[in-house]
């Protein structure tokens, strides 16, 4: 469905903050450190940086260009190139649903930790890690926090992209940044912190396998909100005249700096406290409070502030996920914004209940060997996002008009983009093969074969019925 007056960002900085807000989130602070920890540290970091600057930066430009050119959200943007590509947009909407099937659970944890910081969490540093385990397994408490988090999402997205999303990013992103620097300094000056720094920066190549590459590329897609139409949708609200390559570069750089800062904040302390880097999803919730506890009373306030910033960072990402789904329902299915938001958030809420319980009382309920939380995470992170990025690169590189792309990226010649030929070459020839190679070697070495097959099956089905989507 055509929309005549498309809402757009209030200001240039507004877009940048919103897009950076989408990118910077739990992916950087909660996920990046534990994935890096699980995958050996330094070597993972180098592979991750390679993925980010060789692949993601270029995919980001492609997605923004696609969105602004078509002036419509993800599914419509793909459909306009050819109906055959509609399924890539639909895969994106599905990824939005799946990520929102667990993201608000973690957002809820962060919100809960704001209050826990002030109510005794830091009193006994030795009990912090154990507290997390007990908390997430509780059948009620995390659900309430998750619901609170989800409701705030609904309120923001109902108000629309401009009023709701821009403001939060402008104030709270800088706060998060400052707090991460404060924690990093404390962390690096703890006794025994050096081991953490060498874990993070000294590559141990022996620990690298196909899985490391898959983990790195999946993390990079997730952290940069790519491969699922999010940046296409945000790009569709961009003003004519905004410079896409520069914006893409800024977003990618900011996102990467925050991830590395999170590593600098957590790993030195983690080693100083004698914990293991393979702490898993509880890493930030165990290590950050322990650092704050070591700071005395001021630590309580800083801990509270840190989790406020983390919850807000999560929020500016989750609203972008919800927006992908909602924009699809508005643009393609003709729903009213409010109906679309309430309908999709209700489904997400149910999925989140299943995810949260899968870590506790439903831990025995498994499909293809994995619980709900891990299923939604695995399907998106390891399958859908990378494949979405793969098809996007192919579509943009091989099926879109080169001249039109150039004009989009250089604003009809007004803002020259000198590296256009290089970008085009990478998107067309290098990136699809790079993603394909990583995906094939990685997927062959994962244990969750059943889930991979399921994901592929869904994609094949979507591609098959693409004309009807
Ligand atoms: N990039 C977000 C984060 O790092 C998560 C996200 C993924 C948001 C995909 C939108 C789309 O937390």
């Amino acid at each position: 469905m055509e929309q005549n007056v498309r809402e757009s960002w209030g200001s240039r900085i507004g877009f940048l903050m919103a897009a950076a807000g989408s990118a910077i989130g739990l992916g950087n602070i909660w996920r990046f450190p534990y994935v890096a920890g699980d995958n050996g540290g330094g070597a993972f970091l180098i592979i991750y940086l390679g993925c980010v600057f060789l692949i993601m930066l270029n995919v980001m430009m492609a997605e923004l260009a696609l969105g602004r050119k078509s002036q419509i959200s993800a599914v419509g943007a793909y459909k306009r190139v050819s109906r055959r590509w509609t399924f890539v947009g639909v895969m994106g909407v599905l990824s939005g649903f799946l990520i929102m099937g667990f993201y608000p659970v973690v957002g809820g944890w962060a919100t809960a930790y704001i209050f826990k910081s002030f109510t005794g969490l830091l009193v006994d540093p030795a009990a912090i890690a154990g507290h997390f385990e007990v908390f997430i397994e509780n059948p009620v408490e995390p659900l309430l926090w998750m619901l609170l988090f989800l409701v705030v999402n609904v309120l923001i997205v109902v108000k629309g992209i401009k009023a709701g999303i821009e403001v939060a990013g402008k104030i709270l992103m800088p706060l998060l940044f400052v707090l991460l620097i404060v924690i990093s300094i404390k962390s690096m000056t703890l006794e025994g912190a050096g081991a953490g720094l060498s874990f993070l920066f000294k590559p141990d190549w022996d620990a690298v396998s196909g899985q490391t590459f898959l983990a790195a590329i999946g993390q990079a897609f997730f952290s940069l909100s790519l491969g699922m139409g999010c940046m296409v949708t945000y790009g569709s609200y961009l003003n004519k005249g905004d410079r896409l390559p520069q914006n893409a570069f800024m977003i990618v750089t900011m996102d990467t700096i925050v991830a590395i800062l999170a590593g600098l904040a957590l790993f030195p302390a983690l080693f100083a406290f004698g914990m293991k880097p393979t702490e898993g999803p509880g890493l930030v919730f165990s290590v950050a409070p322990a650092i704050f506890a070591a700071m005395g009373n001021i630590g309580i306030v800083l801990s509270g502030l840190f989790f406020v910033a983390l919850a807000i960072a999560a929020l500016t990402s989750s609203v972008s996920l919800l927006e992908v789904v909602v924009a699809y329902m508005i643009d393609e299915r003709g729903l009213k914004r409010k109906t679309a938001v309430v309908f999709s958030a209700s489904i997400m809420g149910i999925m989140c209940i299943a995810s949260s319980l899968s870590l506790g009382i439903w831990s025995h309920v498994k499909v293809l060997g994995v619980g709900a939380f891990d299923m939604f995470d695995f399907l998106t992170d390891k399958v859908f996002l990378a494949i979405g990025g793969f098809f996007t690169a192919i579509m943009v590189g091989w099926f879109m008009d080169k001249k039109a792309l150039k004009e989009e990226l250089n604003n009809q010649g007004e803002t020259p983009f000198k590296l256009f030929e290089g970008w085009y070459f990478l998107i067309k020839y290098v990136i699809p093969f790079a993603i394909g190679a990583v995906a094939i070697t990685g997927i062959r070495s994962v244990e969750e074969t059943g889930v991979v097959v399921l994901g592929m099956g869904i994609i094949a089905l979507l591609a098959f019925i693409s004309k009807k989507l």
Side-chain angles (χ1 to χ4, degrees):
M1 203 186 294
E2 275 286 350
Q3 273 190 324
N4 292 333
V5 191
R6 190 158 186 83
E7 216 183 343
S8 67
W9 303 102
S11 60
R12 260 177 209 167
I13 188 83
F15 163 75
L16 199 58
M17 282 319 208
S22 165
I24 299 171
L26 296 170
N28 306 60
I29 297 163
W30 162 70
R31 205 168 192 289
F32 174 80
Y34 87 76
V35 175
D38 280 344
N39 287 283
F44 173 86
L45 179 63
I46 293 176
I47 297 170
Y48 177 78
L49 290 177
C51 289
V52 165
F53 286 98
L54 284 175
I55 301 178
M56 303 306 143
L57 174 60
N58 297 301
V59 173
M60 174 85 72
M61 283 189 241
E63 288 202 10
L64 291 180
L66 180 62
R68 189 176 64 179
K69 186 169 176 337
S70 51
Q71 286 290 299
I72 195 158
S73 58
V75 177
Y78 287 92
K79 194 188 273 180
R80 284 192 186 185
V81 177
S82 147
R83 286 196 84 85
R84 171 156 41 109
W85 293 105
T86 315
F87 80 99
V88 184
V90 175
M91 254 170 70
V93 173
L94 184 64
S95 300
F97 261 113
L98 291 171
I99 298 179
M100 282 302 275
F102 70 92
Y103 205 91
V105 174
V106 185
W109 297 346
T111 316
Y113 268 62
I114 303 172
F115 296 90
K116 290 182 187 290
S117 302
F118 295 104
T119 52
L121 176 70
L122 308 186
V123 174
D124 178 8
I128 292 173
H131 181 94
F132 177 76
E133 302 288 316
V134 176
F135 167 61
I136 61 165
E137 287 175 12
N138 186 297
V140 184
E141 206 194 333
L143 295 187
L144 299 176
W145 292 108
M146 176 276 288
L147 282 177
L148 173 67
F149 184 84
L150 198 55
V151 167
V152 179
N153 275 277
V154 167
L155 296 178
I156 294 181
V157 179
V158 163
K159 278 182 132 189
I161 196 88
K162 199 153 104 191
I165 300 176
E166 277 191 55
V167 190
K170 277 191 204 159
I171 312 164
L172 286 138
M173 284 293 127
L175 173 71
L176 178 71
F177 200 71
V178 172
L179 280 167
L180 278 174
I181 293 179
V182 173
I183 313 176
S184 306
I185 295 173
K186 175 72 191 174
S187 178
M188 285 189 279
T189 49
L190 289 167
E191 176 134 5
L197 289 177
S198 48
F199 176 77
L200 189 58
F201 293 114
K202 259 213 196 126
D204 168 12
W205 295 109
D206 293 341
V208 172
S209 69
Q211 283 215 44
T212 322
F213 282 89
L214 186 62
I217 208 169
Q219 173 62 24
F221 272 110
F222 185 86
S223 186
L224 285 156
S225 309
L226 291 171
M228 49 89 59
C230 181
M231 290 297 165
V232 178
T233 305
Y234 270 33
S236 75
Y237 304 118
L238 260 174
N239 297 308
K240 293 279 162 212
D242 283 343
R243 298 169 174 216
L244 303 187
Q246 282 83 345
N247 273 301
F249 184 77
M250 298 272 281
I251 302 164
V252 168
T253 308
M254 284 195 271
D255 187 77
T256 307
I257 291 177
V258 173
I260 294 179
L261 265 182
L264 280 178
L266 299 178
F267 284 115
L270 185 138
F271 279 85
F273 296 144
M275 298 167 157
K276 284 200 198 69
T278 48
E279 199 80 4
L283 197 139
V284 68
F285 294 97
S286 312
V287 179
I291 303 175
F292 293 118
M295 292 181 181
N297 278 342
I298 178 92
I300 297 182
V301 180
L302 289 180
S303 176
L305 278 178
F306 173 74
F307 285 110
V308 170
L310 182 59
I312 300 290
L315 192 63
T316 54
S317 301
S318 56
V319 292
S320 73
L321 286 157
L322 183 53
E323 178 65 23
V324 171
V325 177
V326 167
Y328 162 72
M329 292 179 171
I330 299 174
D331 289 349
E332 302 291 321
R333 295 276 165 251
L335 259 60
K336 289 216 186 65
R337 179 166 275 274
K338 203 168 168 185
T339 321
V341 174
V342 173
F343 174 69
S344 38
S346 308
I347 300 179
M348 291 162 183
I350 295 170
M351 293 165 70
C352 283
I353 294 176
S355 286
S356 185
L357 295 180
S358 77
L359 303 174
I361 55 168
W362 284 2
S363 59
H364 57 285
V365 184
K366 292 191 167 31
V367 175
L368 300 170
V370 290
F373 191 108
D374 294 336
M375 170 73 89
F376 301 151
D377 178 69
F378 189 95
L379 269 179
T380 45
D381 180 71
K382 300 269 181 343
V383 186
F384 287 167
L385 298 188
I387 293 184
F390 170 80
F391 282 126
T392 303
I394 300 228
M395 184 186 85
V396 170
W398 295 87
F399 295 90
M400 282 176 80
D401 180 33
K402 183 173 174 188
K403 198 160 149 268
L405 284 169
K406 184 165 185 177
E407 294 195 336
E408 200 57 49
L409 285 165
N410 73 11
N411 292 319
Q412 277 70 38
E414 277 167 32
T415 57
F417 175 39
K418 293 207 187 69
L419 301 174
F420 177 79
E421 290 298 334
W423 169 82
Y424 190 72
F425 181 80
L426 286 174
I427 272 289
K428 185 164 182 155
Y429 298 107
V430 180
I431 290 172
F433 296 101
I435 301 177
V438 170
I440 290 167
T441 42
I443 282 176
R444 276 188 12 210
S445 60
V446 297
E447 284 154 28
E448 294 87 343
T449 331
V451 187
V452 173
V453 173
L454 172 69
M456 300 293 190
I458 295 175
I459 295 170
L461 180 72
L462 288 178
F464 186 67
I465 58 170
S466 67
K467 294 223 163 54
K468 297 201 188 62
L469 294 167

